[in-house]
């Protein structure tokens, strides 16, 4: 039976989920919002030499940028304050340092954004460097997350 017709009984009434997010996490979580993250990005440090590892703050900031990238053709633009609040930082300074580092590494490009007739808005963030980085990790490590057949299967 395909995943769409699968029945679940985990603390909820017998429910039939229509999408894989809800099937795994529950309809309430699926409806609240979800972000798809490549496995190679989540495990990037496993593929990099120690001197090129992303810090935990850099990775969390990058994940927040990705979670704000809803459409491929539209760049995300979360504010530093929003990012700080979402990852539990009291100050935007750590976010600023992480953004600077991510930009120096070529993973993001900040693009200034302005309100019409007034001041500067939060920056746009071009993530094409992150996409290229992840593609490079995949090309260099193509089988890192491939499922292995169970013992005895061919």
């Amino acid at each position: 039976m395909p995943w769409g017709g699968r029945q679940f009984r985990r603390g909820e009434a017998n429910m039939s989920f229509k999408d894989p997010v809800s099937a795994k996490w529950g309809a309430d979580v699926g409806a609240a919002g979800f972000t798809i993250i490549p496995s190679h990005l989540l495990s990037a440090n496993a593929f990099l030499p120690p001197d090129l590892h992303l810090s935990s703050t850099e990775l969390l900031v990058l994940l927040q940028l990705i979670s704000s990238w809803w459409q491929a053709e539209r760049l995300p633009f979360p504010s530093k304050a929003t990012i700080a609040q979402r990852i539990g930082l009291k100050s935007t300074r750590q976010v600023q340092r992480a953004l600077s580092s991510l930009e120096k590494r070529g993973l993001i490009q900040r693009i200034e954004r302005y309100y019409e007739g007034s001041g500067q808005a939060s920056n746009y963030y071009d993530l094409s460097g992150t996409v290229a980085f992840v593609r490079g990790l995949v090309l260099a490590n193509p089988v890192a997350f491939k499922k292995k057949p169970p013992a005895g299967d061919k």
Side-chain angles (χ1 to χ4, degrees):
M1 180 182 297
W3 53 263
R6 201 165 150 200
Q7 300 292 315
F8 291 81
R9 291 183 186 96
R10 293 190 184 162
E12 298 181 43
N14 186 14
M15 298 178 65
S16 177
F17 294 104
K18 295 182 180 176
D19 66 81
V21 171
S22 295
K24 284 183 181 182
W25 297 97
D28 52 346
V29 174
F34 218 85
T35 301
I36 297 172
I37 305 292
S39 297
H40 280 76
L41 178 59
L42 290 175
S43 299
N45 286 347
F47 307 117
L48 298 172
D51 60 319
L52 295 179
H53 280 187
L54 294 169
S55 74
S56 56
T57 303
E58 290 167 342
L59 185 56
L60 285 170
V61 168
L62 187 55
L63 292 174
Q64 286 302 316
L65 294 176
I66 292 168
S67 76
S68 297
W69 188 25
W70 302 325
Q71 299 167 350
E73 67 281 355
R74 188 168 180 206
L75 299 176
F77 53 93
S79 70
K80 290 184 232 18
T82 296
I83 295 169
Q85 182 266 324
R86 288 181 179 168
I87 63 177
L89 299 176
K90 293 179 181 163
S91 162
T92 59
R93 186 66 191 122
Q94 283 180 279
V95 172
Q96 179 64 39
R97 282 193 292 270
L99 290 169
S100 294
S101 178
L102 292 168
E103 192 166 36
K104 284 178 189 168
R105 291 169 176 256
L107 294 175
I108 67 168
Q109 179 184 358
R110 289 181 275 195
I111 301 167
E112 292 182 348
R113 188 172 73 101
Y114 294 90
Y115 294 114
E116 287 185 36
S118 61
Q120 187 171 357
S122 59
N123 291 325
Y124 284 119
Y125 296 95
D126 182 341
L127 301 176
S128 58
T130 299
V131 172
F133 170 70
V134 172
R135 285 185 173 156
L137 292 176
V138 170
L139 290 173
N141 307 279
V143 297
F145 297 100
K146 297 270 184 191
K147 291 183 181 178
K148 295 181 176 112
D153 285 0
K154 292 185 180 184

